[in-house]
Amino acid sequence: MDHIGKNIKLLRQKHNWNQSQVAKQLKISTPAFSKIETGITDVNYSRLDQIAKIFEVPVTALLAHEKDNFQSKRQEELEILTNKLNKREEEIIKLQSLLIELYEEVRKK
């Protein structure tokens, strides 16, 4: 069951959600969701189906073992990192624009 929790955690991170956000969608407490992710709590099919719908994946994506899902996980990790990099680049562009505006303001004085 540990691999199921790992798959859920990876999907949660891919969506840039925290445990509380997912727990709220599932209508459970954050500690209860944390126990699902860590494999402490066994998950029934109904709950797996609910989780799969939230992440818009088939239930089989949650059930896949590491060796079955290795390439998929690497791709998802790459997407997470790419999204973070894109956000940082957007921040840099905004800061550059602000710097140019400030420079122009100072130059006019």
Side-chain angles (χ1 to χ4, degrees):
M1 285 297 208
D2 189 36
H3 66 280
I4 294 172
K6 288 179 182 177
N7 292 340
I8 292 169
K9 182 177 181 178
L10 189 62
L11 286 167
R12 177 179 59 77
Q13 291 172 335
K14 178 182 175 187
H15 285 81
N16 293 317
W17 292 339
N18 60 42
Q19 288 183 338
S20 297
Q21 290 171 308
V22 178
K24 188 175 182 179
Q25 291 183 58
L26 294 171
K27 298 180 180 158
I28 61 174
S29 69
T30 302
F33 180 73
S34 178
K35 288 178 182 178
I36 291 171
E37 270 195 3
T38 56
I40 294 170
T41 300
D42 288 339
V43 188
N44 63 30
Y45 181 80
S46 176
R47 181 67 73 194
L48 283 176
D49 187 49
Q50 189 181 17
I51 293 169
K53 285 178 182 172
I54 288 171
F55 293 119
E56 299 177 346
V57 297
V59 173
T60 55
L62 302 178
L63 300 174
H65 284 278
E66 180 78 27
K67 63 181 181 178
D68 300 333
N69 210 15
F70 181 76
Q71 200 65 18
S72 174
K73 284 185 180 184
R74 293 292 171 226
Q75 182 62 33
E76 289 173 1
E77 289 172 355
L78 181 60
E79 287 176 26
I80 290 168
L81 293 173
T82 300
N83 288 336
K84 287 181 180 181
L85 180 61
N86 288 337
K87 286 179 183 180
R88 295 290 186 221
E89 287 177 350
E90 289 173 12
E91 290 174 11
I92 289 170
I93 291 169
K94 286 178 185 177
L95 289 172
Q96 286 174 334
S97 296
L98 182 59
L99 183 62
I100 291 169
E101 287 176 23
L102 290 171
Y103 175 76
E104 291 296 324
E105 229 178 86
V106 169
R107 215 173 91 172
K108 289 179 184 177
K109 292 181 179 179

